[in-house]
Amino acid sequence: MKILRISVPSPLSLWTTVRSVGAFNVACSFAALWTFVKVSSALRWRLKTTQLRGPPRTSFLYGVSHNIAASKDPGGMYDHWATKYGLAYMIPSVFGKTVVVLCDPRAVAHFYARETWTYVQTPISLAILEPLIGRGVLLSDGENHRRQRKALMPGFSNAAIRKLTSVFYDSAYKVKGAWDTAIESSKGGGVVIEVQNWMNHISLDTIGIAGFSHDFGSLDGKRASVTEVFDTFGTNQQASAWNQLFILHAIAFPIITKIPTQRTNLFKQLGVTMENISNELLIRSRREKDVNMSERNEEKSVIGLLIKSESQDAELHMSKEEIVAQVKVLLVAGYETTSSESWALIELSRHPDVQTSLREELLAFNADPTYDQLKADLPYLDVVVHETLRLHPPVGELTRLAAADDIIPLSEPVHTESGEMTNSIYIGKGTLIMIPVAAINRSSAIWGPDAKEFKPARWLAEDGISGKAKEVQGHRHLLTFVDGPRTCLGKEFAITEFKAVLSVLVKNFVFEMRDGPDTPIEVANGLLPRPRVVGEDGIGVPLRVRRYE
């Protein structure tokens, strides 16, 4: 029998070959191979994916991405394109990339039903966010996402939130006490308060106590390391243009995110800080597990569920890295998704009639409403909260990558690039899909001609919610909390906290814009977009606050 012998070249001989061929020729060969792979992928995508109409490319390098990034109202741009090209269209993106935009309710429902499996996180999302928050429930896909979400769900059930409502009130009354003191020390009976930082600190202390049995003390003036790093984001607006350019290039080449810049260094610093805090919280909670509460109750808290999942015998076991990632996600969510509360105070300041109606309803309750009363017995509070969530979702758009071929159905036909009408869209693997959440929430075609107005009464009128809006399959026909397998796990937590805090503040204080009701508001970028009074530094929202007599 002959034995086949394969000669493996040594590193030295391989290097000798490279030198003989020439480093330049080798580099050209790799470049040609890379180009061939990219071109083949692009051709396959174009052959498999239905080509739709859309806005023309305004920049050879950036498509229309630079226009969107520089716009003060990106949602308005998406809505305009939906009116012009139909509820499904394509936009040119950076370096020749194309993104399919879905505004059609049936298409959006189909997309969300298949998210984490057919539609997964994009390379740029992972490159930017994974060093910051790890592969927790927010960034994981497929079976990993299902397992992590299932392990955490008991901590965010209605029963769990019912027990936590008192924590929300405690934080709200700390703010009331601080504002009362500030007003008493003022001579005019009112005082200008920068409300956004207070809202951030309410949520940070609340998630600390409710989720991890730890008081960060930010409402008491303590400066935790995590708050110092969080507050740094959004304060240097001079760098915003550079950050936009940086991200646009990173969409095409995610490796760019490894280049050290002021923002990437800040992300790294925040990641390290949250890693340390997460580990400290977990270590302390393990020690106190048998001291502070029974095992049965401990396992229903977020920190208890995380500790339980550490066991190798746990049905929904999570690795140490996954557990730390969950803590990071909750810290970010607790601090950065509070823009809705700031927006609510802004809108109430702009609409004193709405503020008065809300206060009258709240004052009818002598005591603070219970969890069940917050859910069912305060209709005007409910519609003010949901109208704010409709107009000002914390995340304005969502982009995912198709991990497999798919066919997306439409509720109404659209024109293809060639002029034909189609009732469905073929999606090739590798296609980028984008859901413009803010645009859909404020779409005139879906919500009617007054869609962009703050009008809580629309929710109370029998015909206030149009038929098209009712086709949107999200919480209360909104995409603010997305839908499908990735429906926001903390939705009930966020809404209950929002209602509890707003009820305490509106009952006790009157809010006005410092410079009058027409004060212009813009969106500033922290970790997530947040409101800012035009001309203010950082993310300032100064309101004139006086005690309600």
Side-chain angles (χ1 to χ4, degrees):
M1 176 184 296
K2 291 186 177 180
I3 299 177
L4 180 64
R5 297 183 182 274
I6 300 176
S7 176
V8 179
S10 68
L12 181 61
S13 63
L14 187 61
W15 173 242
T16 302
T17 302
V18 169
R19 289 186 63 185
S20 64
V21 173
F24 178 76
N25 290 335
V26 172
C28 288
S29 298
F30 277 114
L33 179 61
W34 182 86
T35 303
F36 174 77
V37 170
K38 289 294 183 181
V39 170
S40 299
S41 177
L43 287 174
R44 181 189 183 282
W45 170 83
R46 188 166 182 86
L47 290 172
K48 295 283 285 188
T49 301
T50 303
Q51 301 299 301
L52 302 171
R53 298 188 306 163
R57 182 178 295 274
T58 58
S59 166
F60 177 76
L61 290 179
Y62 306 123
V64 295
S65 297
H66 186 67
N67 305 71
I68 295 169
S71 173
K72 293 182 179 180
D73 182 22
M77 296 182 69
Y78 292 122
D79 193 25
H80 169 72
W81 290 330
T83 302
K84 186 173 183 179
Y85 301 110
L87 295 180
Y89 56 91
M90 284 179 165
I91 58 173
S93 186
V94 297
F95 295 96
K97 290 181 177 291
T98 303
V99 181
V100 176
V101 181
L102 301 178
C103 301
D104 184 282
R106 187 180 178 191
V108 171
H110 175 95
F111 165 87
Y112 278 131
R114 286 158 176 76
E115 201 183 357
T116 87
W117 299 94
T118 303
Y119 300 103
V120 300
Q121 298 287 346
T122 62
I124 181 62
S125 294
L126 294 175
I128 291 177
L129 294 177
E130 189 173 359
L132 179 67
I133 58 175
R135 281 289 186 103
V137 70
L138 187 64
L139 290 185
S140 58
D141 287 310
E143 181 58 31
N144 285 334
H145 176 267
R146 187 203 66 81
R147 172 176 49 81
Q148 293 180 32
R149 183 183 178 89
K150 188 175 180 181
L152 290 169
M153 281 182 68
F156 294 95
S157 65
N158 287 354
I161 305 305
R162 183 178 284 107
K163 293 179 179 179
L164 295 174
T165 305
S166 61
V167 177
F168 305 149
Y169 281 122
D170 288 344
S171 294
Y173 276 106
K174 281 188 178 182
V175 173
K176 177 186 178 299
W179 290 4
D180 278 336
T181 300
I183 291 171
E184 287 172 4
S185 63
S186 68
K187 296 180 180 179
V191 65
V192 174
I193 294 175
E194 201 295 286
V195 300
Q196 184 140 240
N197 277 335
W198 284 99
M199 298 303 104
N200 290 339
H201 293 162
I202 282 177
S203 289
L204 182 64
D205 283 4
T206 297
I207 194 65
I209 295 170
F212 311 115
S213 301
H214 174 76
D215 188 358
F216 286 102
S218 62
L219 289 172
D220 299 318
K222 295 180 183 178
R223 293 295 296 173
S225 55
V226 68
T227 61
E228 292 176 357
V229 182
F230 273 133
D231 288 346
T232 304
F233 282 92
T235 59
N236 183 8
Q237 294 304 312
Q238 293 179 347
S240 60
W242 161 250
N243 291 331
Q244 288 178 2
L245 195 64
F246 181 85
I247 291 173
L248 288 177
H249 284 84
I251 292 173
F253 308 104
I255 196 172
I256 290 176
T257 59
K258 305 297 182 183
I259 298 174
T261 65
Q262 183 179 11
R263 192 170 180 86
T264 55
N265 289 339
L266 202 56
F267 264 90
K268 184 178 180 180
Q269 181 185 349
L270 182 56
V272 171
T273 300
M274 289 202 299
E275 180 97 13
N276 294 336
I277 290 174
S278 301
N279 284 320
E280 288 174 10
L281 290 174
L282 289 165
I283 291 170
R284 180 183 56 78
S285 296
R286 292 187 194 103
R287 291 172 181 168
E288 298 177 354
K289 177 179 178 183
D290 297 325
V291 176
N292 289 339
M293 60 185 73
S294 69
E295 185 175 347
R296 180 179 177 184
N297 288 333
E298 175 75 10
E299 288 183 355
K300 292 182 180 179
S301 69
V302 173
I303 196 73
L305 292 166
L306 292 174
I307 292 173
K308 179 184 176 182
S309 69
E310 285 183 310
S311 171
Q312 292 293 336
D313 299 330
E315 178 186 356
L316 299 167
H317 171 71
M318 284 193 281
S319 68
K320 178 183 177 181
E321 291 75 18
E322 288 175 333
I323 290 171
V324 171
Q326 313 309 340
V327 180
K328 289 181 176 182
V329 168
L330 292 172
L331 288 174
V332 171
Y335 199 81
E336 280 291 323
T337 58
T338 56
S339 62
S340 296
E341 294 172 18
S342 300
W343 276 115
L345 296 179
I346 290 170
E347 293 292 6
L348 292 175
S349 299
R350 287 170 158 176
H351 301 86
D353 55 330
V354 175
Q355 186 177 163
T356 299
S357 297
L358 176 58
R359 186 175 295 109
E360 289 173 352
E361 179 183 78
L362 293 169
L363 289 172
F365 277 77
N366 292 325
D368 291 320
T370 65
Y371 168 77
D372 295 294
Q373 288 171 329
L374 286 172
K375 280 184 70 72
D377 297 340
L378 291 159
Y380 204 72
L381 174 63
D382 183 74
V383 300
V384 167
V385 164
H386 283 90
E387 183 71 346
T388 304
L389 292 171
R390 183 184 73 83
L391 283 175
H392 308 292
V395 179
E397 59 189 58
L398 181 81
T399 304
R400 293 289 184 263
L401 182 72
D405 295 346
D406 192 23
I407 300 176
I408 298 179
L410 302 173
S411 63
E412 58 182 63
V414 297
H415 284 93
T416 65
E417 190 178 48
S418 62
E420 299 176 356
M421 299 292 289
T422 181
N423 289 304
S424 60
I425 306 170
Y426 287 82
I427 297 295
K429 179 181 177 181
T431 303
L432 289 170
I433 305 288
M434 203 269 282
I435 310 296
V437 172
I440 295 173
N441 278 2
R442 298 195 293 255
S443 168
S444 300
I446 294 175
W447 288 90
D450 58 357
K452 295 173 179 57
E453 298 176 21
F454 180 73
K455 189 178 176 183
R458 78 173 72 247
W459 298 86
L460 300 174
E462 188 173 332
D463 59 346
I465 306 300
S466 70
K468 200 69 176 175
K470 291 178 181 177
E471 295 178 20
V472 179
Q473 296 182 23
H475 169 75
R476 299 287 287 273
H477 313 300
L478 301 176
L479 295 181
T480 303
F481 297 105
V482 302
D483 197 16
R486 282 198 183 274
T487 297
C488 178
L489 192 60
K491 176 188 67 178
E492 194 65 26
F493 185 104
I495 291 175
T496 306
E497 179 191 342
F498 192 171
K499 288 183 176 180
V501 171
L502 202 59
S503 70
V504 171
L505 298 183
V506 173
K507 266 196 305 188
N508 290 281
F509 301 104
V510 177
F511 298 91
E512 299 171 340
M513 300 301 296
R514 181 191 61 188
D515 303 318
D518 297 327
T519 300
I521 303 293
E522 61 185 359
V523 175
N525 287 316
L527 281 177
L528 292 174
R530 289 187 281 182
R532 175 179 63 192
V533 171
V534 172
E536 289 294 309
D537 293 331
I539 48 172
V541 181
L543 299 182
R544 192 169 301 280
V545 182
R546 57 184 172 86
R547 189 182 291 112
Y548 174 73
E549 303 294 346

